[in-house]
Amino acid sequence: MHIDIVSCVPNLLESPFAHSIMKRAIDKKILSLELHNLRDYATNKHKNVDDYPFGGGAGMVMMVEPLANCIEYLKSKHEYDEIIFFTPDGITLKQNIANEFSLKKNLLLLCGHYKGIDQRIRDIYVTKEISIGDYVLSGGELAAAVFVDAIVRLIPNVLSDETSALSDSFQDQLLAPPVYTRPAEYKGLKVPEVLLSGNHAAIEKWRHEQSLLRTKERRPDLLQ
Ligand code: 6GU
C-alpha cells in the first residue's frame, strides 16, 4: 500500500510512523508512506497556505491553490483509489471502514488545519470525508495517524501473529475479552483458572462469554 499525506504541519506525523507496528510495515515494504509539506506548494512570496474567510468570522481557511497544486502534482505520480479529507463532519471511522480501506493500493490523505479547507477542494478532489469521533481536534493530522494505524495493521503480514487482528475488539461486533500474563497471582488477584488449564476449547468458550459480558455491560449498542 502507498499512502501520501498532505499537511501544513507534517512533523506532527513523524513519530506515529517511526515506531512499533507502523515502522515494521514500512521496513517490510508492505507500506510506503510519504509526508508532504503543503507550504512547499504555496504560490505567493510569503508562502501562505491560509487566508481570512470570505464573509468574515473567526479563524483562517486553507487556500485552494497550494492544496490544488499539491494534489495535482501527486495525482500525476499515483493513481489514487481514494482522496480522503479528515474533518469532524465526515463519516465516523468504524472497524468496517478500516477493513474496507485496508484493501486499497493508493491513498491520498489531506489534513486540514485552522477552520478548515476551502470548500472547492472538497468539491473537486475529495472522494471520502472521515471523522474519528464527535469531538474537535486542532487539525486532521492526528485523525490521519489514527486512520492509517487502523488500516495498516489489517494488511496481511503486518502483524506477526496473523490471527491477532481477527481477535481485535469490534471485528465480530464484540469487545475483546480480558487478557493476563505472568505472574499467575498478583497482590492476591488470581488469573482465571481456565486460562491455566491448557483446555483450548474451554478457553475459547470462556473468552467468548467474557466478550459477550463485556459488550453487554459497556457497549450494549453493539449488540443491537
Ligand atoms: Cl478528522 N478532524 C478534526 N479537526 N477534528 C476531528 C476529526 C477530524 N475527527 C474528530 N474530530
Side-chain angles (χ1 to χ4, degrees):
M1 181 185 287
H2 176 76
I3 302 179
D4 288 299
I5 308 183
V6 176
S7 164
C8 54
V9 272
N11 292 352
L12 263 179
L13 285 158
E14 276 165 20
S15 176
F17 302 110
H19 309 280
S20 182
I21 289 166
M22 295 302 111
K23 179 179 190 297
R24 197 189 319 148
I26 292 167
D27 290 347
K28 284 186 178 174
K29 306 209 182 304
I30 296 169
L31 172 67
S32 67
L33 186 109
E34 276 181 53
L35 302 178
H36 304 274
N37 191 340
L38 188 61
R39 217 162 281 280
D40 296 340
Y41 298 84
T43 49
N44 68 17
K45 64 174 187 285
H46 304 293
K47 298 274 169 205
N48 292 326
V49 296
D50 60 324
D51 204 342
Y52 295 96
F54 276 126
M60 302 293 274
V61 175
M62 288 171 69
M63 302 160 71
V64 173
E65 291 99 330
L67 275 164
N69 289 344
C70 180
I71 295 167
E72 289 292 348
Y73 170 74
L74 292 172
K75 278 179 70 171
S76 74
K77 303 265 168 198
H78 300 279
E79 195 154 325
Y80 294 110
D81 298 307
E82 303 274 6
I83 299 180
I84 304 169
F85 175 52
F86 291 92
T87 174
D89 59 9
I91 54 164
T92 308
L93 181 60
K94 295 274 161 64
Q95 192 62 44
N96 64 336
I97 297 173
N99 291 347
E100 175 192 330
F101 279 92
S102 71
L103 303 170
K104 307 282 186 187
K105 289 283 162 277
N106 280 291
L107 296 174
L108 174 53
L109 312 186
L110 308 177
C111 304
H113 228 79
Y114 318 109
K115 269 286 155 193
I117 66 175
D118 190 297
Q119 179 61 37
R120 290 165 289 188
I121 291 293
R122 297 168 71 164
D123 295 342
I124 297 169
Y125 296 110
V126 171
T127 61
K128 278 272 172 11
E129 301 191 321
I130 291 178
S131 161
I132 61 164
D134 292 343
Y135 42 82
V136 175
L137 303 171
S138 312
E141 287 78 12
L142 297 182
V146 166
F147 173 80
V148 173
D149 187 304
I151 69 173
V152 168
R153 63 196 305 290
L154 298 171
I155 303 172
N157 303 317
V158 168
L159 298 183
S160 43
D161 178 358
E162 272 221 52
T163 59
S164 70
L166 297 176
S167 61
D168 284 346
S169 282
F170 302 111
Q171 277 304 7
D172 48 8
Q173 306 298 325
L174 293 177
L175 301 180
V179 294
Y180 298 88
T181 184
R182 284 182 285 188
E185 183 174 341
Y186 179 73
K187 292 190 174 170
L189 293 179
K190 289 187 175 142
V191 170
E193 202 72 48
V194 61
L195 296 179
L196 311 175
S197 70
N199 181 340
H200 292 291
I203 291 169
E204 272 320 296
K205 182 167 173 283
W206 180 85
R207 285 184 171 150
H208 186 66
E209 286 163 2
Q210 291 294 315
S211 278
L212 271 172
L213 205 62
R214 228 174 221 202
T215 311
K216 260 184 211 147
E217 278 171 10
R218 300 177 182 210
R219 292 294 305 276
D221 56 298
L222 293 175
L223 295 170
Q224 300 310 304

